[in-house]
């Protein structure tokens, strides 16, 4: 009787090459520790530069006390702001969270610059961070003994015993600790954020007043050059018709026909002025209906994409709707005149807290950001009451934001966010 040999049970083959779990864990740990070490080394180099910065501080202090060198104080504060900004960017790259800045502008005469540099809460925040950074900025020195110890201990533990790394993760913890301390120290204080908020509101209030004055001048110019001139002409024709009525009825009838045409043109001018102040269609049909009317009247093929709140909440405030309407009107006008694109897209996504307006075209692009800020260019005007400058002022008055993306060759996208609360 012949017995057949049963096949042996298959044993799972070990991973190829260096793919063992312990080795893979060691590699991942070393990569994390390497990135953390790079962060700590850059932080240590910056701390070394801060040690050298003490010389600048001493020179500034002596010059300020001697009065003759008091001009150095604002310049030193500006230099400290740039150093703090570099540290904020380095920390944000580590943590993935941006650290906001809140500074007052240092400009004007010397006395004003000195007062701002001394009283700015952001200066005290930077000085507090700098004093602490002299201590914790040298955390990278602790990585010097940890690397050789970690390569031996974790190399044996992960590679042979297949245990978790023990030493090298401390380098990652040191980098995270340094980043967390920097975040806490460089974050603007509530007083600094309040001061920055007040400064922004002051600037937007000035822009709102300027935009209001420009709008009044535009209305006065439209009434003077349009409706008023036509009404004067209408009055003259009616007077001539009255004089010619008895002796030449045909001439009087012709003058009355001309007067009727002048009256209709004056009414059209007045409707145009009224629409420039607040379009009646905006009150009757809301922003969606008004924007669709703009799209219909535009020479471009305009697609309107509306996303209303899911709970069908109340309409946005009238001022917000008016600002959104004029943003769309100005953007479509600029696209039709300058972009060369046959199409445009308007999006109106809205939540209960904010309304967004986005206008995009596939044209040649090249909207000049400097022009949008006031220098004549595509999207800007000299008058200050229309164009992107007028859009920015109108939106800023409502505490909104404007973003313009227009690389050369297109596309051009204008995005506006307006708070509804």
């Amino acid at each position: 009787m012949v017995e057949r040999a049963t096949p042996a049970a298959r044993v799972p083959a070990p991973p190829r090459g260096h793919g063992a779990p312990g080795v893979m864990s060691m590699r991942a740990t070393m990569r994390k520790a390497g990135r953390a070490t790079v962060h700590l080394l850059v932080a240590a180099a910056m701390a070394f530069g801060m040690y050298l910065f003490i010389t600048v501080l001493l020179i500034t202090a002596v010059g300020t006390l001697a009065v003759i060198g008091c001009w150095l104080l604002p310049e030193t504060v500006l230099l400290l702001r740039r150093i703090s900004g570099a540290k904020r960017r380095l920390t944000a790259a580590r943590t993935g969270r941006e650290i906001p800045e809140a500074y007052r502008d240092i400009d004007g005469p010397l006395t004003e610059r000195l007062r701002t540099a001394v009283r700015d809460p952001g200066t005290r925040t930077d000085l507090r961070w700098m004093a602490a950074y002299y201590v914790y900025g040298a955390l990278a020195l602790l990585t010097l003994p940890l690397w050789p110890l970690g390569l031996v201990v974790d190399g044996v533990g992960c590679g042979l015993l297949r245990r978790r790394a023990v030493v090298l993760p401390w380098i990652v913890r040191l980098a995270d600790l340094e980043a967390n301390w920097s975040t806490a120290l460089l974050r603007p204080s509530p007083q600094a954020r309040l001061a920055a908020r007040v400064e922004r509101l002051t600037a937007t209030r000035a822009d709102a007043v300027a935009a209001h004055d420009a709008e009044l001048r535009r209305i006065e110019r439209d009434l003077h050059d349009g409706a008023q001139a036509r009404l004067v002409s209408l009055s003259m024709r009616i007077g001539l018709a009255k004089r010619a009525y008895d002796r030449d009825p045909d001439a009087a009838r012709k003058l009355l026909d001309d007067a009727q045409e002048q009256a209709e043109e004056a009414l059209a001018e007045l409707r145009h002025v009224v629409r420039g102040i607040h379009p009646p269609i905006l009150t009757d049909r809301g922003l969606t209906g008004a924007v669709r009317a703009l799209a219909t009247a535009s020479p471009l093929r305009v697609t309107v994409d509306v996303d209303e709140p899911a709970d069908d909440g109340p309409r946005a405030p009238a001022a917000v709707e008016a600002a959104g309407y004029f943003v769309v009107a100005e953007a479509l006008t600029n696209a039709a005149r300058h972009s060369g694109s046959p199409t445009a897209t308007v999006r109106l996504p809205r939540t209960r807290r904010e309304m967004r307006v986005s206008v995009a075209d596939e044209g040649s692009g090249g909207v000049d950001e400097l022009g949008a800020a006031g220098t004549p260019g595509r999207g800007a005007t000299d008058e200050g009451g229309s164009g992107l400058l007028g859009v920015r002022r109108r939106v800023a008055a409502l505490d909104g934001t404007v973003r313009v993306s227009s690389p050369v060759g297109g596309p051009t996208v204008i995005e506006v966010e307006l708070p509804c609360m």
Side-chain angles (χ1 to χ4, degrees):
M1 186 175 183
V2 180
E3 296 181 358
R4 293 184 179 181
T6 58
R10 291 186 178 180
V11 179
R16 296 182 180 179
H18 301 285
V23 177
M24 295 174 64
S25 176
M26 183 63 180
R27 285 184 174 180
T29 302
M30 289 181 64
R31 283 195 297 269
K32 294 180 180 179
R35 289 192 292 266
T37 302
V38 171
H39 173 81
L40 289 173
L41 289 176
V42 175
M46 185 173 290
F48 179 75
M50 296 299 294
Y51 295 142
L52 300 179
F53 189 69
I54 295 177
T55 305
V56 179
L57 294 178
L58 292 176
I59 295 175
T60 301
V62 173
T64 304
L65 292 175
V67 180
I68 193 174
C70 60
W71 61 271
L72 288 172
L73 181 59
E75 301 301 326
T76 303
V77 171
L78 291 175
L79 180 58
L80 179 59
R81 288 183 180 183
R82 286 193 285 269
I83 296 174
S84 301
K87 182 58 182 174
R88 286 186 176 91
R89 291 189 293 273
L90 176 64
T91 304
R94 175 66 187 174
T95 62
R97 299 185 301 273
E98 293 187 2
I99 305 176
E101 294 183 353
Y103 294 120
R104 296 178 182 174
D105 292 334
I106 298 180
D107 50 15
L110 179 59
T111 55
E112 183 66 23
R113 298 176 68 198
L114 286 171
R115 188 181 299 110
T116 304
V118 173
R119 295 182 178 179
D120 186 9
T123 302
R124 294 191 290 272
T125 299
D126 291 346
L127 290 174
R128 184 175 65 247
W129 162 76
M130 183 179 62
Y133 199 54
Y134 287 140
V135 179
Y136 77 89
L139 286 175
L141 298 177
L142 298 178
T143 62
L144 298 179
L146 289 178
W147 265 109
L149 181 62
L151 291 177
V152 174
V153 175
D154 293 339
V156 174
C158 293
L160 298 180
L161 303 179
R162 295 188 178 182
R163 294 179 178 177
R164 292 183 178 180
V166 178
V167 180
L168 291 180
W170 277 100
I171 300 177
V172 180
R173 295 190 185 99
L174 286 175
D176 293 338
L177 181 64
E178 192 276 339
N180 292 334
W181 282 352
S182 298
T183 301
L185 291 169
L186 288 172
R187 185 182 294 117
S189 63
Q191 183 182 3
R193 290 197 293 269
L194 178 60
R197 177 67 172 165
V198 170
E199 186 174 356
R200 171 176 169 77
L201 290 177
T202 302
T204 55
R205 179 184 178 185
D207 287 342
V209 172
H212 179 68
D213 291 341
E215 187 71 9
L216 288 178
R217 289 194 299 271
R218 183 190 67 81
I219 295 172
E220 181 182 5
R221 185 175 60 252
D222 290 346
L223 290 175
H224 181 272
D225 298 340
Q228 180 178 341
R230 296 187 187 281
L231 289 175
V232 170
S233 178
L234 171 64
S235 177
M236 293 176 62
R237 278 175 168 75
I238 293 177
L240 292 174
K242 289 174 62 178
R243 292 180 182 179
Y245 183 76
D246 293 332
R247 65 176 183 272
D248 192 353
D250 294 335
R253 189 177 296 107
K254 185 177 184 303
L255 289 172
L256 288 175
D257 292 339
D258 292 341
Q260 184 178 7
E261 293 180 1
Q262 291 289 333
E264 293 175 353
E265 292 177 357
L267 286 175
E269 289 286 346
L270 289 174
R271 291 192 189 98
H272 176 74
V273 173
V274 169
R275 284 196 297 268
I277 299 173
H278 188 86
I281 191 174
L282 193 60
T283 303
D284 299 336
R285 298 171 56 186
L287 181 61
T288 301
V291 168
R292 284 175 175 159
L294 282 176
T296 303
S298 175
L300 305 177
R301 295 194 304 273
V302 181
T303 302
V304 180
D305 184 8
V306 180
D307 184 12
E308 294 289 348
D311 55 355
D312 194 18
R315 285 177 55 174
V320 173
E321 286 192 342
Y325 175 86
F326 284 110
V327 167
V328 175
E330 187 61 39
L332 291 180
T333 300
N334 282 339
R337 290 179 179 176
H338 306 291
S339 71
S341 172
T343 61
T345 302
V346 179
R347 292 184 176 87
L348 300 174
R350 184 198 158 194
T351 63
R352 293 185 62 87
R353 293 185 174 272
E354 68 177 5
M355 181 179 70
R356 297 182 181 180
V357 177
S358 174
V359 183
D361 66 72
E362 300 295 332
S364 58
V367 171
D368 188 3
E369 282 296 321
L370 293 177
T375 302
R378 180 191 162 187
T381 66
D382 299 276
E383 301 170 359
S386 59
L388 283 183
L389 177 60
V391 167
R392 290 184 184 277
R393 285 177 170 174
R394 186 184 291 270
V395 172
L398 298 174
D399 202 19
T401 58
V402 179
R403 290 189 297 271
V404 179
S405 174
S406 182
V408 177
T412 297
V413 181
I414 300 176
E415 296 180 335
V416 173
E417 294 182 3
L418 294 163
C420 292
M421 302 297 292

